[in-house]
Amino acid sequence: MGTILNMSTIISAILYQILTLYEVGNNFYLDTLAKPTLPNGIDFTKGKRRASGRYTNARTILDIIEEELGFTNYTPPYLSPQTTGDVILKGVNYASSGSGIFNSTGSKFGDHICMDEQINNFEKSRQDIVSKIGAAAARKLLRDALYFIAIGANDIMLLSSNVSSSHVENIKYLDNMIFKFKSQLMRVYNLDARKIAVTSAAPLGCIPFERDKFSIDDCVPHVNELAKLYNVRLKILLSELTKHLAGSIFIYMNSYTTLEDVLQNYKSYGFMNADSACCRVYGKHGGKLPCIFYARVCPNRTQYVFWDAYHPTEKANFILVKHALDGSRQYISPINIRQLANS
C-alpha cells in the first residue's frame, strides 16, 4: 500500500501498494501467509541470508526512485519498532502485501492492512509529527512531501476470477472501486498530502499467475480488459481531483503502457523470458504458487521480466522507474516524478 517518501525536509510519500510492489516488510508483523520471506530479496542483502521484506529479487520501484532522487536511506515499514521518533520525519512505508481498495481484499491470506487502515496509520504518523514539530511546520512538511500510491490490482484480480460475471456486473464493480478510491484519496488530501503519484493497473493478464490460472500461454484478454476499463476511470478521477482540490496535483503513472512495452519488446531490453517467473514452485509459467522458501530461483535473474508469479525483477523495475522519473505523457501525466519533485 503506501509509503511516505521524503524529499529533503519533506516527509514521505504515501505509497499504496499494487501487487505488493511497494511492500518493504510490514507483513512480517502480521499473522498472514503473505510474507516476503527468502528467497525474496535474495540480491538485496548482498549475500547475507536475510529477508528484505520486498517482493522482488532486489530493489523495488520505490527503492530505485528514492535513490534517483538523492535519498540516502530507504523508507522503513510503518510497523517496525524502529519507525519512531525523528525517523518518521524522513518517510514511512505503509504498504501491505495482498491489500486492496476494498477492505476485504486480501483477507484470504490472513491479517492485512487495507487501504482505509493504511490511511489510519498515516493519520497517526501525522499526529506524531504535529506533536514533534508543531502544527505549522508539520503542515509544510506534509504538503511538500511526495506521496506514491499503488493499489487496485488485487481487487481487479479478484473480479477477474469470477468469469461468470456479466459486463454490467464488472462495470458496477469497477465503478464502486473508483467511488471508494475517490473517498480515500480525498481523505489523504485532507491530511495535507498535495503531491500524489498514483499507479495505474498493469497488464495483469500477462503475469505468470494469470497465465497459469487460465492455462494459456498468451496474456489473458479479459483480465487485461478489466485493467484497461479501470485505468480509464482512474485517469479521469485523478484529473478531476487535481482540478477541484486546491493546491493538489495527482499524477497518473501509466504502468499498463510501460510494462506492455517491456513485454512486447523484451528482447530489445535484454531479457530472454517475458512470460515466466524466475522464482517458481510449479506451473508452466511458475504462476501456481508464490515465491516461497522451497522455490527454485533462476541463476540469470537479469534475463527475466518477472521475478515471481506477480512481480517484476529489479531489472524490469529499473525500466519502469526510468519512464516514471523522466518519461513523456505517454507513460506519466501531466508531469513526471522528477518534475513533481522539483515543483
Side-chain angles (χ1 to χ4, degrees), residues 20 23-28 32-41 50-56 97 291:
T20 68
E23 163 82 62
V24 296
N26 280 309
N27 277 26
F28 284 145
T32 177
L33 296 174
K35 294 180 187 286
T37 55
L38 289 169
N40 289 290
R50 184 176 69 246
S52 69
R54 289 154 169 81
Y55 277 105
T56 185
S97 304
C291 180

Side-chain angles (χ1 to χ4, degrees), residues 12 29 51 96 143 180 254 306:
S12 39
Y29 302 93
S96 175
R143 292 188 177 189
K180 184 166 181 62
N254 192 344
F306 292 106

Side-chain angles (χ1 to χ4, degrees), residues 41-86:
I42 191 171
D43 300 317
F44 184 87
T45 52
K46 296 179 172 57
K48 299 177 182 178
R49 298 291 293 176
R50 184 176 69 246
S52 69
R54 289 154 169 81
Y55 277 105
T56 185
N57 60 301
R59 286 168 290 182
T60 68
I61 290 172
L62 256 296
D63 291 332
I64 300 168
I65 287 177
E66 289 173 340
E67 289 182 0
E68 289 292 322
L69 292 180
F71 302 120
T72 56
N73 296 303
Y74 301 127
T75 48
Y78 172 80
L79 292 180
S80 169
Q82 283 73 49
T83 306
T84 186
D86 288 345

Side-chain angles (χ1 to χ4, degrees), residues 48-168:
K48 299 177 182 178
R49 298 291 293 176
R50 184 176 69 246
S52 69
R54 289 154 169 81
Y55 277 105
T56 185
N57 60 301
R59 286 168 290 182
T60 68
I61 290 172
L62 256 296
D63 291 332
I64 300 168
I65 287 177
E66 289 173 340
E67 289 182 0
E68 289 292 322
L69 292 180
F71 302 120
T72 56
N73 296 303
Y74 301 127
T75 48
Y78 172 80
L79 292 180
S80 169
Q82 283 73 49
T83 306
T84 186
D86 288 345
V87 171
I88 66 172
L89 300 177
K90 299 177 180 180
V92 181
N93 184 303
Y94 301 93
S96 175
S97 304
S99 61
I101 291 172
F102 294 126
N103 294 351
S104 59
T105 299
S107 58
K108 67 179 181 180
F109 300 113
D111 292 343
H112 64 291
I113 313 173
C114 64
M115 177 71 162
D116 283 335
E117 188 60 33
Q118 290 181 45
I119 300 173
N120 290 343
N121 291 338
F122 171 54
E123 185 172 16
K124 293 173 186 175
S125 295
R126 181 183 180 278
Q127 292 168 351
D128 290 341
I129 293 168
V130 170
S131 298
K132 193 166 192 62
I133 65 175
R139 186 178 302 110
K140 176 171 176 25
L141 188 73
L142 292 163
R143 292 188 177 189
D144 286 340
L146 298 180
Y147 294 79
F148 291 86
I149 302 179
I151 201 161
N154 293 319
D155 304 279
I156 294 170
M157 287 194 294
L158 279 178
L159 174 62
S160 71
S161 298
N162 186 7
V163 293
S164 63
S165 60
S166 67
H167 179 73
V168 172

Side-chain angles (χ1 to χ4, degrees), residues 190-211:
N190 288 331
L191 292 171
D192 284 320
R194 292 296 182 269
K195 301 177 181 181
I196 304 168
V198 182
T199 303
S200 77
L204 301 173
C206 300
I207 65 175
F209 170 77
E210 296 291 351
R211 293 177 193 257

